[in-house]
Protein backbone atom coordinates (compact mmCIF):
# COMPACT_ATOMS: atom_id res chain seq x y z
CA UNK A 1 0.00 0.00 0.00
CA UNK A 2 1.22 3.46 -0.82
CA UNK A 3 0.90 5.71 2.18
CA UNK A 4 2.71 8.55 0.44
CA UNK A 5 0.37 8.35 -2.55
CA UNK A 6 -2.67 9.00 -0.35
CA UNK A 7 -1.35 12.34 0.95
CA UNK A 8 -2.89 15.37 -0.77
CA UNK A 9 -0.68 18.05 -2.33
CA UNK A 10 -1.67 21.66 -1.56
CA UNK A 11 -1.39 24.07 -4.50
CA UNK A 12 0.10 27.50 -3.62
CA UNK A 13 -1.55 30.69 -4.93
CA UNK A 14 1.11 31.35 -7.60
CA UNK A 15 0.91 27.86 -9.12
CA UNK A 16 -1.38 26.68 -11.90
CA UNK A 17 -1.88 22.93 -12.49
CA UNK A 18 -3.43 21.59 -15.72
CA UNK A 19 -4.30 17.92 -16.15
CA UNK A 20 -4.98 16.51 -19.62
CA UNK A 21 -5.59 12.89 -20.63
CA UNK A 22 -2.09 11.47 -20.01
CA UNK A 23 -0.03 14.45 -18.84
CA UNK A 24 0.09 17.09 -16.14
CA UNK A 25 1.53 20.60 -16.52
CA UNK A 26 2.58 22.78 -13.57
CA UNK A 27 3.20 26.50 -14.12
CA UNK A 28 4.73 28.83 -11.55
CA UNK A 29 7.02 31.83 -11.09
CA UNK A 30 10.22 29.83 -11.79
CA UNK A 31 9.02 28.04 -14.91
CA UNK A 32 6.83 25.37 -16.46
CA UNK A 33 7.23 21.63 -15.77
CA UNK A 34 5.32 18.72 -17.26
CA UNK A 35 5.15 14.98 -16.64
CA UNK A 36 3.46 11.93 -18.10
CA UNK A 37 0.85 10.22 -15.92
CA UNK A 38 1.46 6.45 -15.63
CA UNK A 39 -1.31 4.00 -16.53
CA UNK A 40 -3.55 3.17 -13.59
CA UNK A 41 -3.19 6.58 -11.88
CA UNK A 42 -5.84 9.29 -11.66
CA UNK A 43 -5.36 12.92 -10.68
CA UNK A 44 -8.15 15.11 -9.27
CA UNK A 45 -7.93 18.79 -8.33
CA UNK A 46 -10.44 20.02 -5.73
CA UNK A 47 -10.23 23.24 -3.68
CA UNK A 48 -6.56 23.92 -4.57
CA UNK A 49 -5.54 20.43 -3.47
CA UNK A 50 -4.28 17.61 -5.72
CA UNK A 51 -5.44 14.07 -4.95
CA UNK A 52 -3.72 11.08 -6.56
CA UNK A 53 -5.70 7.87 -6.94
CA UNK A 54 -5.16 4.30 -8.10
CA UNK A 55 -8.42 2.82 -9.50
CA UNK A 56 -7.41 -0.85 -9.23
CA UNK A 57 -5.77 -1.58 -5.87
CA UNK A 58 -3.01 -3.86 -7.13
CA UNK A 59 0.66 -3.56 -6.19
CA UNK A 60 1.80 -1.92 -9.42
CA UNK A 61 -0.87 0.81 -9.36
CA UNK A 62 -0.13 1.61 -5.71
CA UNK A 63 3.57 2.01 -6.56
CA UNK A 64 2.81 4.32 -9.47
CA UNK A 65 0.44 6.28 -7.21
CA UNK A 66 3.26 6.99 -4.72
CA UNK A 67 5.70 7.78 -7.53
CA UNK A 68 3.31 10.23 -9.20
CA UNK A 69 2.58 11.91 -5.87
CA UNK A 70 6.31 12.42 -5.21
CA UNK A 71 6.94 13.71 -8.74
CA UNK A 72 4.00 16.14 -8.57
CA UNK A 73 5.02 17.40 -5.12
CA UNK A 74 8.55 18.05 -6.46
CA UNK A 75 7.11 19.85 -9.49
CA UNK A 76 4.92 22.12 -7.35
CA UNK A 77 7.81 22.83 -4.96
CA UNK A 78 10.21 23.38 -7.87
CA UNK A 79 8.19 26.04 -9.67
CA UNK A 80 7.78 27.98 -6.39
CA UNK A 81 11.11 27.59 -4.53
CA UNK A 82 13.39 25.69 -6.90
CA UNK A 83 16.05 23.13 -6.06
CA UNK A 84 19.75 23.57 -5.39
CA UNK A 85 22.73 21.21 -5.35
CA UNK A 86 26.28 22.17 -4.35
CA UNK A 87 29.41 20.45 -5.67
CA UNK A 88 32.91 20.88 -4.21
CA UNK A 89 36.09 20.31 -6.22
CA UNK A 90 39.18 19.27 -4.21
CA UNK A 91 42.66 18.92 -5.65
CA UNK A 92 45.70 20.93 -6.71
CA UNK A 93 44.93 22.70 -9.99
CA UNK A 94 41.34 21.48 -10.07
CA UNK A 95 38.87 24.23 -10.94
CA UNK A 96 35.60 25.02 -12.68
CA UNK A 97 34.58 27.87 -14.93
CA UNK A 98 31.53 28.77 -16.95
CA UNK A 99 31.79 29.59 -20.65
CA UNK A 100 28.38 30.57 -21.97
CA UNK A 101 26.03 27.66 -21.42
CA UNK A 102 28.92 25.23 -20.79
CA UNK A 103 30.48 24.29 -17.49
CA UNK A 104 34.18 23.48 -17.99
CA UNK A 105 36.10 21.53 -15.32
CA UNK A 106 39.87 21.11 -15.10
CA UNK A 107 40.35 17.85 -13.17
CA UNK A 108 43.92 16.81 -13.87
CA UNK A 109 43.20 15.17 -17.20
CA UNK A 110 44.92 16.21 -20.44
CA UNK A 111 41.62 17.64 -21.63
CA UNK A 112 38.95 19.77 -19.94
CA UNK A 113 35.66 18.09 -19.00
CA UNK A 114 32.65 19.96 -20.39
CA UNK A 115 28.93 19.78 -19.62
CA UNK A 116 26.30 21.73 -21.53
CA UNK A 117 23.78 23.12 -19.04
CA UNK A 118 20.08 23.07 -19.94
CA UNK A 119 18.38 26.46 -20.10
CA UNK A 120 16.47 25.80 -16.87
CA UNK A 121 19.64 25.09 -14.82
CA UNK A 122 21.79 27.94 -13.56
CA UNK A 123 25.34 27.50 -12.25
CA UNK A 124 27.13 29.77 -9.78
CA UNK A 125 30.85 29.26 -9.17
CA UNK A 126 32.58 30.45 -5.97
CA UNK A 127 36.39 30.61 -5.77
CA UNK A 128 36.63 28.25 -8.76
CA UNK A 129 36.05 25.17 -6.61
CA UNK A 130 32.44 25.38 -5.36
CA UNK A 131 29.70 24.99 -7.98
CA UNK A 132 26.07 25.62 -7.01
CA UNK A 133 23.48 24.30 -9.47
CA UNK A 134 19.91 25.56 -9.22
CA UNK A 135 16.72 25.12 -11.19
CA UNK A 136 13.04 24.23 -10.93
CA UNK A 137 13.34 20.56 -11.97
CA UNK A 138 14.80 18.36 -9.21
CA UNK A 139 15.60 15.49 -11.56
CA UNK A 140 17.56 17.64 -14.02
CA UNK A 141 19.54 19.49 -11.30
CA UNK A 142 20.52 16.22 -9.60
CA UNK A 143 21.40 14.56 -12.93
CA UNK A 144 23.76 17.41 -13.87
CA UNK A 145 25.36 17.17 -10.40
CA UNK A 146 25.80 13.41 -10.80
CA UNK A 147 27.36 13.91 -14.24
CA UNK A 148 29.87 16.39 -12.80
CA UNK A 149 30.71 14.02 -9.93
CA UNK A 150 31.19 11.10 -12.35
CA UNK A 151 34.07 12.91 -14.11
CA UNK A 152 36.34 12.35 -11.10
CA UNK A 153 34.89 10.68 -8.02
CA UNK A 154 36.67 11.53 -4.75
CA UNK A 155 39.43 9.12 -3.86
CA UNK A 156 39.74 7.83 -0.28
CA UNK A 157 43.39 8.75 0.46
CA UNK A 158 43.58 12.52 -0.08
CA UNK A 159 39.95 13.24 -0.99
CA UNK A 160 40.85 14.61 -4.43
CA UNK A 161 37.97 14.77 -6.88
CA UNK A 162 34.43 16.09 -7.21
CA UNK A 163 32.01 15.55 -4.32
CA UNK A 164 28.64 16.77 -3.12
CA UNK A 165 28.87 19.36 -0.35
CA UNK A 166 26.94 17.17 2.10
CA UNK A 167 28.89 14.00 1.20
CA UNK A 168 31.34 12.50 3.69
CA UNK A 169 34.43 10.81 2.27
CA UNK A 170 35.68 7.96 4.45
CA UNK A 171 39.44 8.34 4.44
CA UNK A 172 41.91 5.44 4.36
CA UNK A 173 45.33 5.39 5.95
CA UNK A 174 48.14 5.27 3.40
CA UNK A 175 51.08 2.91 3.49
CA UNK A 176 53.46 3.55 6.36
CA UNK A 177 56.61 2.50 4.55
CA UNK A 178 59.53 0.36 5.71
CA UNK A 179 60.89 0.92 9.21
Amino acid sequence: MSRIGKKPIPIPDKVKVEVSARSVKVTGPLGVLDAVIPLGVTIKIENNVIHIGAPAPNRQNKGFQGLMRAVLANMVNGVVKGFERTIEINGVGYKAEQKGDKLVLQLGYTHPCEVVLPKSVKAKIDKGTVVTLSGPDKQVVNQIAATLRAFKKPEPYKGKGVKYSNETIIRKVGKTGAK
Side-chain angles (χ1 to χ4, degrees):
M1 265 176 39
S2 175
R3 294 186 179 147
I4 292 175
K6 292 180 183 178
K7 290 183 180 179
I9 304 169
I11 302 174
D13 294 334
K14 307 170 194 170
V15 177
K16 182 181 174 189
V17 179
E18 299 174 13
V19 178
S20 63
R22 301 277 305 128
S23 66
V24 61
K25 183 177 179 181
V26 180
T27 308
L30 294 181
V32 178
L33 299 175
D34 55 348
V36 177
I37 301 171
L39 290 172
V41 175
T42 59
I43 297 177
K44 295 179 187 173
I45 301 174
E46 298 171 343
N47 300 330
N48 282 343
V49 175
I50 303 172
H51 297 282
I52 313 289
N58 62 19
R59 185 171 178 86
Q60 184 177 12
N61 285 351
K62 289 290 189 175
F64 282 142
Q65 178 187 14
L67 171 75
M68 196 63 213
R69 194 264 178 212
V71 169
L72 263 176
N74 285 339
M75 289 169 64
V76 169
N77 192 16
V79 296
V80 174
K81 298 177 187 173
F83 292 100
E84 203 170 84
R85 192 69 181 215
T86 305
I87 300 282
E88 294 176 358
I89 302 170
N90 297 324
V92 177
Y94 292 9
K95 63 180 180 175
E97 60 184 352
Q98 190 167 1
K99 293 182 180 175
D101 63 341
K102 287 184 181 179
L103 200 59
V104 181
L105 279 72
Q106 300 288 338
L107 299 174
Y109 298 123
T110 57
H111 60 282
C113 301
E114 297 181 354
V115 173
V116 177
L117 295 175
K119 292 183 181 180
S120 63
V121 176
K122 306 232 181 322
K124 180 183 166 196
I125 301 172
D126 294 332
K127 301 177 186 174
T129 59
V130 178
V131 180
T132 304
L133 302 168
S134 61
D137 195 348
K138 185 176 185 176
Q139 293 173 338
V140 173
V141 170
N142 286 335
Q143 182 61 50
I144 296 291
T147 303
L148 293 176
R149 185 181 182 277
F151 283 135
K152 190 139 193 152
K153 293 181 181 174
E155 52 97 11
Y157 296 102
K158 292 185 180 179
K160 290 171 51 174
V162 180
K163 72 177 194 88
Y164 301 121
S165 64
N166 58 355
E167 182 179 13
T168 303
I169 305 300
I170 299 173
R171 297 289 177 93
K172 291 183 178 179
V173 180
K175 294 183 178 180
T176 56
K179 290 187 180 182

